[in-house]
Amino acid sequence: TNPKYLRLIAEMYHEICLSIPQPFILGSVDSIMSPFIVGAMNALYHHRYIVMQKKVTAHGTKEIIYGNVKNNIVLIDDMTSTGK
């Protein structure tokens, strides 16, 4: 894949986030692209972020949310849907 497309997606999400009241942090979920998009937004624009998972796992920490949640969360999630 070409990294220019990841940059483009991160730039588009960043533009949308400019209209969101500050302060906020990005929320990354366990999906295909969410970690990449949030990582790119962090690298390009220094947006802070947290990581959320659907359920507690048997290994690692026993948290559903990793990170400091003091501000509003902007969830960045990719979704494939039929629209129905």
Side-chain angles (χ1 to χ4, degrees):
T1 60
N2 191 325
K4 73 179 181 182
Y5 298 117
L6 180 58
R7 177 182 284 272
L8 176 63
I9 292 168
E11 289 170 351
M12 290 174 16
Y13 273 99
H14 175 72
E15 287 296 318
I16 293 168
C17 287
L18 292 177
S19 65
I20 297 169
Q22 302 285 332
F24 67 85
I25 56 177
L26 299 176
S28 176
V29 296
D30 184 18
S31 67
I32 300 297
M33 288 303 297
S34 177
F36 293 107
I37 296 167
V38 170
M41 291 176 74
N42 175 264
L44 293 170
Y45 303 108
H46 309 289
H47 287 300
R48 293 181 54 236
Y49 66 93
I50 60 166
V51 177
M52 296 178 279
Q53 59 185 12
K54 292 179 185 177
K55 61 182 179 177
V56 174
T57 59
H59 62 282
T61 64
K62 304 297 182 205
E63 304 294 328
I64 290 185
I65 296 177
Y66 298 101
N68 189 350
V69 186
K70 291 185 178 178
N71 299 319
N72 293 327
I73 299 170
V74 176
L75 179 64
I76 304 294
D77 191 10
D78 56 288
M79 184 175 123
T80 303
S81 172
T82 61
K84 296 180 182 177

